[in-house]
Amino acid sequence: LFPESITTEQQSLVLVKRLLAVSVSCITYMRGLFPESSYGTRYLDDLCLKILREDKSCLGSLQIVKWIQGCFDALEKQYVSLGFYALSSSPDHFTELYQFKFKYKKKVPQMDISSNHREFVTGLCSEDVKQASRLLLRTLYLLMQDLGPLPNDITLTMKLLYYNDVTPKDYQPPGFKEDASPGDLFFGGVPLNLRVGSVSTDFHLMKVRVTTDKKRVRKADSNLIQKNGPTEISHQGLDCEEEEEEESTKINLLNLAFSQEEVIGPEKKRKVSEPERLPLNGKK
């Protein structure tokens, strides 16, 4: 599942791609979005992983695979800063949100490994990176098992946000288009924000977070819960720095509703891409 060694930028990229694909597969499988035929089976130690594949009998799973491949293109070019999957119960309200944040870095001198709140901050040793990856996937699977059922009529969409200083204005990954969201998208329920974890290599950092309805969580590890959760999401707030989130309640309360305006200045807008929305009325 993981590269034998994670010491080069290409090996690190392969790891991040696989973590993204496996995580999205886990989410769609555990939330019952597609039939069993849309998944293959892989094992990570004692954990049985269901991996999305191109199932021609299920157009929805085919579309998700294309979305993931589009995100791969943006990852290879080091353009994407945040990818998120939103499950919507109505046109202007979402019921569940999955955030994948990406950072790119140059190789730095080796440091001691430290662990804090399930996150390997400086995972420079291949084995430590693999261990952090296992922990992230296991935590995500355990969290998915504790979530109650979704509403019957669900629409799935994905959006990609970019680093404006390096991303060409006309860039769109395969299968994506410029975001045309007319306004804000609000949370339908009482939001509970969960920090699943992160994996760091010499070249990449990937963080995973989940927002769901508090009533849908049967039980949750207190270490995963992010306090002062928001009720609406803005594009500029989705990728707030963790330090800012911890220091400022105001940022937390503003950190959800989709607007393309960037807080840095009135002339600069956050570049956002989206594919077509995917209705999931026929869940398995």
Side-chain angles (χ1 to χ4, degrees), residues 1-151:
L1 186 64
F2 303 129
E4 284 298 321
S5 177
I6 310 169
T7 56
T8 69
E9 186 171 3
Q10 181 59 33
Q11 290 167 340
S12 176
L13 177 62
V14 169
L15 173 72
V16 172
K17 285 181 176 180
R18 290 181 182 176
L19 280 174
L20 174 64
V22 174
S23 296
V24 174
S25 297
C26 163
I27 292 164
T28 60
Y29 182 80
M30 299 297 288
R31 302 310 278 136
L33 301 187
F34 305 118
E36 189 78 26
S37 61
S38 297
Y39 299 88
T41 301
R42 297 285 297 275
Y43 285 89
L44 178 63
D45 300 331
D46 61 338
L47 188 63
C48 179
L49 304 175
K50 295 293 184 176
I51 312 297
L52 270 171
R53 59 187 178 186
E54 294 182 297
D55 178 12
K56 294 183 179 180
S57 66
C58 180
L59 295 179
S61 64
L62 278 175
Q63 187 63 57
I64 296 296
V65 170
K66 290 181 180 178
W67 292 3
I68 295 173
Q69 291 170 344
C71 189
F72 285 175
D73 185 82
L75 277 169
E76 291 169 2
K77 294 177 170 63
Q78 298 191 357
Y79 291 163
V80 65
S81 64
L82 183 79
F84 65 89
Y85 291 80
L87 291 168
S88 304
S89 53
S90 66
D92 58 349
H93 284 77
F94 72 92
T95 188
E96 230 160 68
L97 183 77
Y98 300 88
Q99 298 186 50
F100 298 86
K101 182 170 184 178
F102 306 101
K103 287 187 177 182
Y104 314 95
K105 50 187 177 176
K106 300 298 181 181
K107 189 169 183 178
V108 295
Q110 201 164 15
M111 299 170 63
D112 291 333
I113 305 298
S114 63
S115 175
N116 182 30
H117 298 299
R118 299 177 180 266
E119 298 180 0
F120 280 82
V121 180
T122 54
L124 302 176
C125 169
S126 294
E127 287 306 314
D128 288 319
V129 173
K130 292 179 184 180
Q131 182 60 29
S133 302
R134 294 186 188 98
L135 179 59
L136 186 149
L137 293 176
R138 189 176 295 277
T139 302
L140 184 59
Y141 260 79
L142 290 174
L143 173 60
M144 293 295 100
Q145 290 175 356
D146 287 334
L147 294 182
L150 291 165

Side-chain angles (χ1 to χ4, degrees), residues 78-80 162-172 271:
Q78 298 191 357
Y79 291 163
V80 65
Y162 303 89
Y163 290 105
N164 284 3
D165 55 340
V166 295
T167 307
K169 291 182 179 180
D170 60 350
Y171 172 75
Q172 295 295 342
K271 179 177 174 61

Side-chain angles (χ1 to χ4, degrees), residues 189-203:
V190 180
L192 181 67
N193 298 280
L194 304 167
R195 296 178 178 177
V196 178
S198 70
V199 175
S200 180
T201 74
D202 286 327
F203 306 95

Side-chain angles (χ1 to χ4, degrees), residues 81-82 99 101 161 235-241 245 270:
S81 64
L82 183 79
Q99 298 186 50
K101 182 170 184 178
L161 283 70
H235 284 151
Q236 65 264 29
L238 280 166
D239 58 342
C240 286
E241 292 298 328
E245 292 175 351
R270 170 69 72 188

